[in-house]
Structure formats: C-alpha cells, structure tokens
C-alpha cells in the first residue's frame, strides 16, 4: 500500500477561488502590510509567494523593510503607524528578526484586530479559550489538510511533534477543538526516549520540529494521516522531518515536502485577512 499524497496546491487553488469571490462582494481591496527588519533569504522568498497569493485573490500586499541598523523601537513605531492606518486591514511581522529584538513584545504591538497571523497573546488566548477567531496560518493549514482526507477523525489519537507558538501548540489546540485525543511532544519527549511510542499510536501525526529524518517511516501507524511541516535543506534538497519513502509505504495519507503544507499556509494568511476585514466592520456582509 502506498499513501495518498496530500498536495497543498489544489486545496490552495480552491480557497483562492472562494476568497476571490468573497473579496469581490466586499467592495474594497483588502490591504496587508508586511513589516520586517533584516534581509533573510527564506523570508524574501516567503514575501514573494505572499505577493503572488495576494494578487491572485485581489489583496494589496505592501512590504516595509527597515533600514539596516534599525532598532526595536523603530519597528514598534512602524507597527503602530500601521495599527492607526485605516487603509491597512492586516499586519504581519516578517521573521526572523535580529537576535537582540524581543519577539513577543514586538508581536504584541500588533493590534489584535489587525493580527493577520493570529500570533498576538490576545488571539492565541482566544484559541486557547476555544473562542471563535483566527488561528496561526500553518496550524490552520495542517487542520485543513487533515479535513481534506475526508476521514472521520473524531475521537482518534493525534500526536503533534513540536510545541512552537506558531505551529505545534496552535495545531494541538485546533485538534482538541475537533475532539481528537491529542498529545504534544517536544525536545523533552525526545530526550526521555519516548518519542517513538507516541508516534506509533498516532492516527493523525503532525510533525513540526525542523529536524530532518526525525521520524523514521517504520514508526508510522498503518493508515495514519501524516502532515510534515518541517523544511530542511539536506545536500541541496528540501526535505521534511519524516523519512518520506518509508513513511509513504505505511501511511494512509502523507504531505510531500515541498508542496504540502507550504502552499496552503500562504493562502490561510489571505483567508485570515479577509476574516479580519469582516470582523472590523461586522455590518459588512459577504
Ligand atoms: P521552532 O524551532 O520554533 O520549534 C521547534 C519545536 O520542535 C520545539 O517545540 C522543539 O521542542 C521541537 N523539537 C526540536 N527538536 C526535537 C526533537 N528532536 N524531538 C522532538 N521535538 C523536537 O519551530 P517551528 O517554527 O514550529 O518550525 C518547525 C519547522 O517547520 C521548521 O523546519 C520550519 O522551517 C518549518 N515551518 C514550515 C512552515 C510551512 O509553511 N511549511 C511554516 C512554519 C514552519
């Protein structure tokens, strides 16, 4: 048996068409401002794919990159200007930031009503409280991929590897919200030598550690849904955190890397922006 490939692009295309239709009805062109400090190559690539996705649905993306040597206060000032600009509907802060910058303080400067990636304490707290709202884009992409399998996962075992605030932790909260029995693993699980036992019982496995070949294919439960978020460069090739070929032989569904979670993440950002526009003016119907 070979697992069905869960490709992100066709799902992203479906969402793209839905969003383009919604935006037409809004009667305005939503505007996303991406603010960054630094010239990271991966971040530049992500901005380009953001721009393509934005244009495809009718969103304006504006990029502000601070001059080299800009301070944390300069960045905060730029975010505050965007908070007060009525023409800006959503804000994202491009990662990575210079090492000395306090990321949590910076992200919490974004007004929650303009937090397109749902990374402020307020919006993550809403997710924790199971309140309706936005979720971080990659975590939403993982859940959407699970839903696209059409498998009834109610009450099934889910295991998330990685507890980052933008991927692992929110993915775990979303899984609990869908009534999966969920476990989150991290470096402590790895060091205690119990990672394998958790992975072996996962009906749904989401891996976001950034460690190539962390999960041998032989650990995958037969028929499992495997979502590999990891992006690693090995000998000039982009690979995930799961050993793909051996995992594909056991899983029911598996995401490729690249081409799985990535293309969907950027479309989830566009979806979040459209949701923000509607939340900012609740009377607006679409
Ligand atoms: P992060 O570095 O913030 O967190 C990594 C998490 O993995 C931590 O919780 C850590 O405890 C855990 N971890 C690390 N090594 C481990 C090990 N040996 N065993 C068990 N757990 C371990 O990471 P992140 O921001 O969640 O990103 C993780 C990976 O996902 C990276 O490769 C990143 O490039 C990729 N990523 C992809 C997308 C996408 O759209 N496809 C989006 C975000 C991140």
């Amino acid at each position: 048996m070979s697992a069905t490939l869960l490709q992100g692009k066709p799902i992203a295309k479906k969402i793209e068409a839905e969003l383009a239709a919604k935006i037409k009805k809004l009667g305005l062109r939503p505007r996303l401002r991406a603010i960054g400090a630094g010239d990271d190559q991966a971040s530049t690539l992500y901005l380009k794919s953001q721009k393509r996705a934005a244009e495809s649905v009718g969103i304006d993306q504006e990029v502000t990159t601070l001059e080299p040597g800009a301070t944390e206060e300069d960045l905060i000032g730029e975010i505050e200007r965007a908070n007060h600009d009525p023409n800006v509907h959503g804000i994202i802060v491009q990662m990575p930031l210079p090492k000395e910058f306090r990321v949590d303080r910076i992200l919490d400067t974004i007004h929650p009503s303009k937090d397109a990636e749902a990374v402020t304490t307020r919006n993550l707290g809403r997710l924790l409280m199971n309140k309706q709202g936005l979720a971080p884009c990659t975590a939403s992409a993982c859940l959407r991929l699970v839903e696209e399998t059409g498998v009834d996962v109610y009450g099934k075992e889910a295991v998330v590897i990685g507890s980052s605030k933008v991927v692992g932790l929110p993915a775990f909260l979303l899984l609990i919200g869908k009534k999966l029995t969920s476990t989150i693993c991290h470096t402590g699980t790895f060091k205690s030598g119990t990672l394998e036992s958790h992975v072996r019982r996962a009906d749904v496995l989401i891996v976001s550690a950034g460690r190539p070949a962390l999960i041998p294919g032989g650990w995958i439960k037969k028929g499992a849904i495997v979502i590999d978020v990891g992006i690693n460069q090995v000998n000039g090739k982009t690979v995930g955190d799961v050993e793909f070929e051996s995992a594909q032989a056991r899983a029911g569904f598996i995401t490729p890397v690249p081409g799985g979670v990535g293309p969907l993440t950027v479309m989830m950002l566009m979806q979040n922006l459209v949701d923000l526009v509607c939340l900012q003016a609740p009377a607006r119907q679409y």
Side-chain angles (χ1 to χ4, degrees):
M1 189 188 86
S2 180
T4 303
L5 267 190
L6 279 172
Q7 303 271 11
K9 261 198 189 142
I11 309 168
K13 276 273 162 208
K14 252 197 300 190
I15 302 171
E16 179 185 303
E18 288 162 16
L19 287 180
K22 273 185 192 173
I23 290 170
K24 261 195 186 147
K25 286 192 195 160
L26 284 176
L28 62 80
R29 238 182 123 81
R31 177 166 296 187
L32 176 69
R33 183 164 300 164
I35 306 173
D39 61 346
D40 180 72
Q41 212 187 346
S43 167
T44 308
L45 282 176
Y46 185 52
L47 281 172
K48 278 191 186 154
S49 71
Q50 243 176 50
K51 192 173 182 60
R52 273 195 303 274
E55 280 171 355
S56 73
V57 296
I59 287 172
D60 288 330
Q61 182 228 35
E62 269 180 356
V63 180
T64 306
T65 306
L66 300 186
E67 294 293 320
T71 63
E72 187 172 314
E73 297 311 319
D74 294 331
L75 179 56
I76 285 179
E78 199 56 47
I79 297 170
E80 275 168 351
R81 268 189 290 285
N83 281 340
H84 290 104
D85 184 342
N87 296 315
V88 172
H89 301 96
I91 301 166
I92 74 161
V93 174
Q94 277 303 123
M95 297 292 157
L97 291 171
K99 275 196 192 72
E100 64 279 14
F101 283 25
R102 286 163 290 179
V103 173
D104 287 349
R105 175 175 181 242
I106 290 164
L107 293 181
D108 273 333
T109 307
I110 302 172
H111 193 280
S113 70
K114 293 194 176 185
D115 174 17
E117 292 187 303
V119 288
T120 55
T121 302
R122 170 84 175 264
N123 283 326
L124 287 170
R126 287 183 65 83
L127 191 61
L128 179 69
M129 302 300 281
N130 206 10
K131 295 246 163 80
Q132 218 196 350
L134 273 58
C137 312
T138 308
S140 300
C142 291
L143 260 286
R144 178 69 189 244
L145 284 157
V146 172
E147 284 166 3
E148 287 285 327
T149 64
V151 174
D152 180 9
V153 290
Y154 188 95
K156 295 274 171 83
E157 289 276 345
V159 174
V160 180
I161 318 274
S163 55
S164 69
K165 276 182 274 184
V166 289
V167 188
L169 204 49
F172 168 77
L173 294 171
L174 290 170
L175 289 163
I176 291 182
K178 295 278 173 197
K179 298 279 183 229
L180 283 92
T181 305
S182 307
T183 303
I184 193 156
C185 302
H186 38 67
T187 42
T189 325
F190 178 78
K191 285 182 186 150
S192 71
T194 55
L195 195 59
E196 176 177 356
S197 63
H198 290 290
V199 171
R200 281 196 181 274
R201 58 181 171 69
D203 300 302
V204 173
L205 178 68
I206 296 178
V207 191
S208 182
R211 300 277 181 274
L214 176 65
I215 309 297
W219 290 5
I220 303 295
K221 184 173 175 179
K222 284 221 162 122
I225 299 169
V226 179
I227 311 292
D228 191 352
V229 183
I231 300 175
N232 310 290
Q233 300 304 323
V234 176
N235 302 327
K237 234 184 116 191
T238 304
V239 298
D241 292 350
V242 179
E243 280 182 355
F244 184 79
E245 279 81 15
S246 50
Q248 193 182 21
R250 294 176 65 85
F253 297 87
I254 189 167
T255 54
V257 178
V261 179
L264 207 48
T265 294
V266 69
M267 203 45 77
M268 289 300 175
L269 173 63
M270 303 306 144
Q271 183 159 336
N272 275 358
L273 185 69
V274 173
D275 289 348
L276 285 179
V277 172
C278 297
L279 289 167
Q280 287 160 14
R284 192 182 286 133
Q285 293 294 323
Y286 67 95

